[in-house]
């Protein structure tokens, strides 16, 4: 469970030839706002449609078109802010960020530089051995996404698809509180988890719904503590920004490479130049984006097409009231209320779908059994088939039915697993399948007693031996099980055999 | 803000506009005059006026429903594009 008394993880260090260096990372995460229509137009945000079909005249920046703000996107951003325990600014404004690029038809992006919608917040990131990194959020602002350039369709041309143009983004800016490549990806995972719980971003990195710019710098041991106390950035090294990362693995590799590159520069007596870099997947190196430097003058100014954004505290309150339970709270509740292990709670709350599924299946007094079945049987099987909880062939109701029969000892564990298989493949009702395959476990004392008596009468030799060798008991149980076609309740059988043979269990 | 030839050159570059030496000279002078004119606004006392404010644009409405009502007219969108291919705009290759 996360509590603020937990210790902080150790920062990632790089041993140079002259000194030991520490890594400092800040991240700007672009999260696509989950909405049906775009931030300033009424065209669709659906991914993967035919090129240039999700485009309105506003998105294409036709002359005279004016942006109209989608309130739902604003509410989604407020919800995100509240989920990150951040301050919501009741007054914010839109600014134009000017630059030329073929996938930006307006020639500027509408963003929020001077007065962002959301202020300071925090994300608690669980690391190894019970340590927790608190990553400060500096701000979240809303802005338009750009279109997409495709470079591999023609040797001399770039192809432009404006479907993504104007889709709402939240730029979530962290403080330089992240201290290793591992923490960077753990932070991004946690952020994604929270956004998915909130339903404000689908978090799909393959589709580009979540992308990160990673700021990396290195400093001498002890320097970071000076920064922490004074908030004076001059204690930190010069940073480089690695742009547009949408894979956890590449983020990790890019940070490792970039930190080493900076250490090598500094130890050779050179300086790190503040610049934008790109990670090249093939070479595993970061390289300078010189063109970006040229155009760095964005000439921001307040967007004359949009009035300031004023929000009522009542709106913020009503969103706060409806805020869903977040991963940390849910995990704590699972541990405290259901008595399951921290590990199980962590796995079950990894995504909201799994947590909801667990709670739907949950049988009072059998929480641990429910958790085990979901984690071992269901998740194991889903992983094997490349499926997830959202498209599980077994519904929560059906799994609950299987477990109810198991708990009432109507079927054995072995039968329950067979039944699980049957339901998985047929998707039919467990109770029906039990009848059809005559799976009922026999718990009827009288019936089992009859079988036990028969076995004892037929095997006087074994009965003689059991007094000196109590292990023979197992043989009797086995014979009864066999005689019952495996349907006798093993527990009841065991007790009856022991009782009849006069052995204390 | 003073406008000299270098600043005009930089602005032209940022705006991806090609200017001749004569153009640059002419625009330095003209933009300088425009800015001089605009600078007169600095003399107005606006200390008690909020910046561009929702209250001052009461006619402006945000969209209250997140419903898709626009798009799906690719012909219209690509109508003025010089060289559309397979439903895409095309431009001279730009790649980092």
């Amino acid at each position: 469970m996360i509590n603020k008394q937990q210790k902080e993880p150790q920062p990632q260090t790089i041993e140079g030839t002259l000194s030991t260096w520490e890594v400092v990372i800040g991240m700007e995460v672009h999260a696509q706002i989950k909405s049906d229509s775009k931030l300033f137009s009424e065209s669709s945000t659906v991914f993967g449609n035919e090129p240039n079909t999700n485009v309105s005249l506003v998105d294409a920046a036709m002359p005279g078109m004016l942006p109209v703000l989608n309130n739902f996107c604003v509410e989604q951003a407020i919800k995100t802010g509240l989920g990150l325990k951040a301050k919501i600014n009741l007054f914010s404004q839109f600014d134009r960020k000017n630059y030329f690029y073929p996938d930006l038809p307006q020639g500027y992006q509408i963003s929020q530089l001077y007065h962002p919608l959301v202020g300071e917040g925090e994300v608690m990131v669980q690391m190894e051995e019970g340590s927790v990194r608190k990553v400060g959020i500096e701000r979240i602002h809303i802005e338009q996404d750009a279109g997409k350039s495709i470079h591999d369709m023609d040797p001399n041309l770039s192809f432009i698809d404006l479907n993504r143009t104007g889709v709402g983004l939240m730029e979530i800016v962290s403080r330089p509180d992240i201290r290793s490549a591992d923490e960077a990806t753990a932070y991004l995972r946690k952020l994604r988890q929270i956004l998915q719980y909130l339903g404000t971003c689908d978090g799909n990195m393959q589709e580009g719904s979540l992308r990160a710019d990673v700021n990396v710098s290195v400093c001498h041991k002890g320097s970071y503590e000076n920064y922490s106390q004074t908030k004076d950035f001059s204690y930190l090294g010069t940073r480089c920004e690695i742009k547009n990362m949408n894979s956890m693995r590449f983020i990790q590799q890019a940070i490792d490479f970039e930190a080493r590159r900076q250490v090598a520069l500094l130890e050779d007596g050179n300086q790190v130049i503040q610049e934008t870099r790109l990670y090249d997947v093939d070479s595993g190196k970061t390289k300078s984006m010189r063109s970006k430097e040229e155009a760095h003058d964005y000439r921001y100014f307040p967007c004359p097409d949009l009035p300031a954004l004023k929000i009522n505290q009542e709106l913020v309150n009503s969103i706060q009231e409806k805020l869903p339970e977040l991963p940390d709270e849910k995990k704590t509740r699972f541990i405290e209320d259901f008595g399951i292990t921290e590990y199980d709670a962590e796995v079950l709350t990894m995504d909201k779908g799994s947590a909801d599924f667990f709670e739907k299946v949950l049988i009072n007094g059998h929480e641990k059994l429910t958790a085990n079945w979901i984690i071992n049987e269901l998740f194991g099987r889903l992983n094997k088939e490349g499926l997830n909880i959202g498209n599980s062939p077994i519904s929560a109701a059906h799994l609950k039915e299987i477990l109810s029969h198991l708990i009432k000892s109507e079927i054995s564990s072995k039968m329950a697993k067979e039944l699980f298989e049957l339901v998985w493949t047929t998707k039919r009702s467990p109770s029906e399948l039990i009848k059809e395959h005559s799976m009922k476990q026999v718990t009827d004392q009288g019936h089992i007693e009859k079988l036990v008596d028969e076995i004892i009468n037929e095997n006087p030799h074994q009965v003689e031996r059991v007094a000196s060798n109590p292990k023979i008991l197992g043989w009797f149980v086995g014979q009864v099980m066999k005689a019952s076609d495996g349907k006798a309740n093993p527990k009841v059988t065991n007790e009856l055999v022991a009782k009849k043979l006069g052995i204390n269990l | 803000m003073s406008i000299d030839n270098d600043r005009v050159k930089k602005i032209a570059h940022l705006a991806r506009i090609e200017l001749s030496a004569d153009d640059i000279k002419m625009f330095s002078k003209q933009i300088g005059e425009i800015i001089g004119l605009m600078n007169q606004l600095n003399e107005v006392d606006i200390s008690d006026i909020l910046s561009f404010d929702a209250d001052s644009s009461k006619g402006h409405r945000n969209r209250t429903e997140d419903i898709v009502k626009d798009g799906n007219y690719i012909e219209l969108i690509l109508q003025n594009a010089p060289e559309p291919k397979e439903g895409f705009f095309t431009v001279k290759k730009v790649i980092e």
Side-chain angles (χ1 to χ4, degrees):
Chain A
M1 265 176 280
I2 286 186
N3 65 60
K4 290 182 183 181
Q5 278 75 53
Q6 275 173 293
K7 65 180 187 339
E8 293 188 335
Q10 289 296 313
Q12 180 178 357
T13 56
I14 293 170
E15 290 299 329
T17 42
L18 305 173
S19 151
T20 300
W21 300 82
E22 287 184 3
V23 178
V24 180
I25 301 160
M27 283 167 89
E28 291 161 24
V29 175
H30 291 89
Q32 236 177 50
I33 299 172
K34 205 166 161 183
S35 66
D36 290 336
S37 64
K38 293 182 180 179
L39 183 56
F40 295 115
S41 80
E42 294 180 305
S43 52
S44 166
T45 60
V46 171
F47 178 85
N49 279 357
E50 288 296 305
N52 293 308
T53 53
N54 296 354
V55 183
S56 72
L57 299 177
V58 178
D59 307 321
M62 292 297 173
M65 294 296 115
L66 287 171
V68 179
L69 182 61
N70 181 349
N71 273 349
F72 181 70
C73 291
V74 175
E75 286 164 23
Q76 288 284 66
I78 294 172
K79 199 172 176 186
T80 302
L82 294 173
L84 302 181
K85 300 184 171 53
K87 180 175 174 283
I88 307 302
N89 295 323
L90 299 181
F91 177 92
S92 69
Q93 253 182 331
F94 292 99
D95 303 294
R96 286 187 183 178
K97 177 182 182 178
N98 298 280
Y99 66 93
F100 265 87
Y101 211 72
D103 59 22
L104 188 77
Q106 287 172 151
Y108 56 85
Q109 176 192 34
I110 303 177
S111 180
Q112 296 188 302
L113 177 69
Y114 301 108
H115 300 284
L117 176 58
V118 182
E120 292 188 335
E122 64 179 44
V123 176
M124 304 299 282
V125 184
Q126 181 92 52
M127 297 303 298
E128 274 171 21
E129 287 158 13
S131 62
V132 168
R133 174 70 70 199
K134 180 174 138 185
V135 178
I137 301 296
E138 190 179 305
R139 56 184 284 160
I140 304 173
H141 60 259
I142 50 179
E143 60 185 24
Q144 301 172 296
D145 207 343
K148 207 166 132 194
S149 305
I150 300 156
H151 304 294
D152 57 5
M153 290 181 72
D154 186 286
N156 306 310
L157 299 171
S158 289
F159 282 49
I160 313 291
D161 174 10
L162 298 183
N163 279 354
R164 206 177 59 187
T165 306
V167 171
L169 290 181
M170 300 176 277
E171 180 168 330
I172 304 166
V173 183
S174 88
R175 296 208 177 278
D177 292 347
I178 301 163
R179 303 303 313 282
S180 69
D182 284 340
E183 285 179 30
T185 50
Y187 164 72
L188 196 53
R189 281 200 183 89
K190 184 61 179 284
L191 196 56
R192 179 174 62 181
Q193 187 191 29
I194 294 172
L195 294 172
Q196 287 173 334
Y197 264 71
L198 291 167
T200 57
C201 170
D202 68 25
N204 189 328
M205 295 184 80
Q206 285 80 38
E207 293 179 1
S209 305
L210 199 67
R211 331 190 274 273
D213 298 341
V214 187
N215 287 289
V216 181
S217 67
V218 295
C219 65
H220 287 292
K221 223 177 154 80
S223 230
Y224 188 83
E225 285 66 28
N226 287 332
Y227 155 75
S228 291
Q229 278 156 27
T230 60
K231 296 293 162 208
D232 179 352
F233 284 98
S234 66
Y235 284 110
L236 301 181
T238 305
R239 65 174 195 266
C240 288
E241 182 182 20
I242 312 165
K243 275 271 179 206
N244 230 353
M245 309 284 295
N246 67 347
S247 136
M248 297 284 182
R249 187 160 57 97
F250 294 150
I251 287 173
Q252 196 131 11
Q253 290 171 2
I255 292 171
D256 284 334
F257 174 84
E258 180 58 22
R260 277 168 203 289
R261 185 189 73 87
Q262 293 182 11
V263 167
L265 272 176
L266 294 167
E267 294 215 334
D268 284 349
N270 296 315
Q271 302 226 309
V272 174
I273 304 159
Q274 185 172 338
E275 61 178 353
T276 309
R277 299 178 71 85
L278 265 190
Y279 180 66
D280 180 43
V281 175
D282 298 322
S283 67
K285 294 176 177 174
T286 62
K287 58 180 185 186
S288 179
M289 276 175 85
R290 283 178 220 292
S291 62
K292 204 85 185 175
E293 297 314 300
E294 282 275 293
H296 219 72
D297 186 349
Y298 289 128
R299 294 155 293 147
Y300 278 99
F301 62 87
C303 182
D305 290 340
L306 291 158
L309 178 56
K310 284 188 158 184
I311 289 157
N312 292 325
Q313 186 60 46
E314 291 77 57
L315 174 67
V316 178
N317 295 346
S318 77
I319 295 172
Q320 177 85 62
E321 278 161 26
K322 282 180 272 174
L323 216 59
E325 185 179 38
L326 291 170
D328 288 346
E329 300 160 14
K330 206 181 271 291
K331 190 176 150 191
T332 305
R333 179 167 64 84
F334 279 14
I335 296 168
E336 287 176 352
D337 291 6
F338 303 146
I340 61 175
T341 63
E342 176 161 4
Y343 173 81
D344 286 356
E346 174 84 35
V347 175
L348 289 169
T349 56
M350 200 72 85
D351 62 272
K352 194 166 172 293
S354 300
D356 290 348
F357 195 96
F358 170 68
E359 291 205 80
K360 273 185 215 151
V361 176
L362 197 61
I363 298 169
N364 276 339
H366 300 275
E367 291 84 359
K368 182 76 194 149
L369 177 89
T370 312
N372 281 345
W373 267 80
I374 290 180
I375 293 171
N376 299 326
E377 302 303 323
L378 181 63
F379 288 177
R381 190 65 205 270
L382 289 171
N383 281 341
K384 210 170 116 192
E385 307 275 332
L387 297 168
N388 61 55
I389 199 77
N391 51 26
S392 165
I394 292 195
S395 69
H398 279 172
L399 186 55
K400 191 184 178 99
E401 221 177 302
I402 297 174
L403 295 187
S404 303
H405 289 294
L406 174 63
I407 287 163
K408 286 187 224 146
S409 290
E410 291 165 6
I411 53 173
S412 64
S413 291
K414 194 165 157 277
M415 287 177 190
K417 283 179 190 178
E418 286 165 16
L419 183 58
F420 180 91
E421 273 307 308
L422 282 170
V423 178
W424 178 282
T425 42
T426 63
K427 295 184 185 171
R428 290 176 50 205
S429 140
S431 302
E432 269 177 46
L433 288 164
I434 285 176
K435 269 187 216 143
E436 216 172 281
H437 294 257
S438 46
M439 283 180 119
K440 281 237 173 203
Q441 173 170 253
V442 177
T443 39
D444 172 13
Q445 289 253 358
H447 183 73
I448 298 174
E449 203 168 347
K450 212 176 124 226
L451 291 174
V452 173
D453 287 341
E454 277 169 28
I455 303 286
I456 287 176
N457 289 335
E458 284 162 18
N459 297 281
H461 183 59
Q462 293 287 70
V463 176
E464 271 170 41
R465 286 178 61 204
V466 83
S468 57
N469 185 2
K471 278 185 187 161
I472 306 273
L473 196 71
W475 180 85
F476 279 99
V477 174
Q479 293 302 307
V480 176
M481 294 300 288
K482 210 166 136 190
S484 73
D485 281 334
K487 284 171 190 159
N489 181 323
K491 194 166 160 267
V492 176
T493 310
N494 216 17
E495 282 165 8
L496 278 171
V497 170
K499 198 174 123 197
K500 297 262 172 190
L501 295 173
I503 290 167
N504 288 323
L505 280 177
Chain B
M1 193 198 292
S2 75
I3 296 295
D4 54 19
N5 291 351
D6 283 345
R7 193 178 284 272
V8 169
K9 251 192 252 175
K10 190 181 174 210
I11 294 168
H13 173 73
L14 290 171
R16 301 293 187 272
I17 297 170
E18 208 175 330
L19 295 181
S20 69
D22 282 350
D23 288 340
I24 289 170
K25 244 195 272 173
M26 179 185 71
F27 282 121
S28 297
K29 184 166 172 291
Q30 287 188 357
I31 296 173
E33 281 170 10
I34 292 168
I35 288 186
L37 184 70
M38 300 304 275
N39 274 340
Q40 288 180 24
L41 289 173
N42 289 340
E43 292 162 23
V44 183
D45 179 12
I46 52 163
S47 52
D48 59 347
I49 295 173
L50 263 175
S51 64
F52 199 56
D53 194 310
D55 296 339
S56 65
S57 55
K58 285 230 162 61
H60 191 101
R61 293 262 185 282
N62 289 347
R63 193 144 51 87
T64 51
E65 286 181 316
D66 179 35
I67 297 173
V68 177
K69 289 183 187 164
D70 206 349
N72 269 319
Y73 37 69
I74 186 169
E75 302 76 20
L76 208 55
I77 294 299
L78 293 176
Q79 189 177 308
N80 299 319
E83 236 186 303
K85 282 187 201 305
E86 296 167 52
F88 292 90
F89 294 90
T90 64
V91 295
K92 220 169 89 186
K93 185 154 269 184
V94 272
I95 192 160
E96 293 288 347

